[in-house]
Amino acid sequence: VYKRQLFLLASLALNLVGVNIGWALGLAVLSVIVVILTLRPLVSNSAAGFLLKSRPSFTVGDEVKLSGHIGEVLAISARTTILRTRDGLRVHIPNTEVLDHEIVVFTAFDTRRLSVELNVDQHCDLEAVTQALIGAAESVPMVRRDPPPKVHVSDLSSGALGLVVQFWFEPHRYTEREASNAVNRSAHAALRNAEIELLPPLLRLDAIDAQLEPGASLRQNSTDRP
């Protein structure tokens, strides 16, 4: 009741001094709308930041993938999550965007699996190649022995044998690049010592067809080597 009386008295006072209450009310409503639209992103990002801190999917120091960016989490501020990418860039991602998209945490657990792909001649001794690659992976100090490294056949076409070396490492101690490069170098050295020839990467038919003009077709080998 008192608020209504105060509003009526204010309206009467404005009319007495020649102020049109309709215009004044319209301007007030417009001002409120502008303020709401201006503050809405800030309020939304602040609320999202509060959720990220109170129920964290990741913490400062984790390596994550957010909105297509991969990097270490430097900070979670009121408005943005700050990453340092693998290329040494600092990226600010709005907290609302973080919550609205997939979050991948690479350092969520003590161990993580990586894969290295190699291609060898199809007619080689598969058992000998497998043992050579497993031994090469086990010789790398970054590779965990439990679970042990494994080798799988991924592709078999036109004389090429695609192999995948899977191994586990500790993401809190080593980076993905360090572990992959170390296993790659060890595997290449082991195959050279065993006189097993490495072949170029396989060029798949679906990748070639995507480069052809509409209506064209391909009837050649699926390997990209002489």
Side-chain angles (χ1 to χ4, degrees):
V1 176
Y2 292 106
K3 291 182 179 179
R4 291 181 180 178
Q5 292 176 352
L6 183 60
F7 179 76
L8 291 175
L9 290 174
S11 301
L12 180 59
L14 290 174
N15 283 326
L16 289 176
V17 297
V19 177
N20 190 326
I21 187 62
W23 282 102
L25 183 59
L27 289 175
V29 172
L30 181 61
S31 299
V32 171
I33 293 175
V34 171
V35 171
I36 292 175
L37 292 177
T38 303
L39 295 180
R40 181 179 178 183
L42 178 61
V43 173
S44 299
N45 282 315
S46 298
F50 174 77
L51 290 175
L52 288 174
K53 291 182 178 179
S54 61
R55 296 183 178 180
S57 302
F58 53 87
T59 59
V60 173
D62 277 333
E63 186 178 31
V64 298
K65 180 179 180 181
L66 305 174
S67 300
H69 300 282
I70 298 177
E72 178 188 354
V73 179
L74 297 180
I76 304 174
S77 67
R79 296 182 57 251
T80 62
T81 297
I82 306 172
L83 300 184
R84 177 171 57 202
T85 68
R86 294 174 177 176
D87 296 327
L89 304 177
R90 185 170 62 182
V91 180
H92 294 252
I93 305 174
N95 289 327
T96 52
E97 188 173 331
V98 172
L99 289 180
D100 289 341
H101 293 81
E102 180 185 59
I103 299 174
V104 180
V105 183
F106 296 111
T107 51
F109 304 103
D110 294 335
T111 57
R112 179 181 162 208
R113 193 180 71 179
L114 286 179
S115 299
V116 170
E117 297 185 5
L118 301 166
N119 296 314
V120 297
D121 190 273
Q122 181 180 353
H123 302 289
C124 68
D125 186 341
L126 180 58
E127 183 63 25
V129 173
T130 299
Q131 293 304 318
L133 293 177
I134 290 178
E138 290 179 340
S139 67
V140 177
M142 301 179 190
V143 175
R144 294 284 300 267
R145 293 296 186 92
D146 184 22
K150 296 181 179 180
V151 176
H152 301 287
V153 176
S154 63
D155 203 344
L156 183 62
S157 56
S158 300
L161 182 64
L163 300 176
V164 177
V165 182
Q166 294 180 337
F167 61 93
W168 294 78
F169 78 109
E170 299 177 17
H172 292 283
R173 297 182 59 188
Y174 311 105
T175 65
E176 176 183 329
R177 183 174 299 176
E178 289 173 340
S180 296
N181 287 343
V183 172
N184 254 317
R185 288 193 295 267
S186 181
H188 284 210
L191 293 179
R192 284 198 304 269
N193 292 336
E195 297 183 351
I196 300 172
E197 181 185 3
L198 277 171
L199 299 180
L202 297 175
L203 183 59
R204 303 185 186 281
L205 289 175
D206 52 359
I208 299 176
D209 290 337
Q211 301 174 2
L212 296 176
E213 296 181 358
S217 60
L218 182 68
R219 295 292 183 269
Q220 297 179 356
N221 291 340
S222 61
T223 54
D224 183 24
R225 64 177 191 276

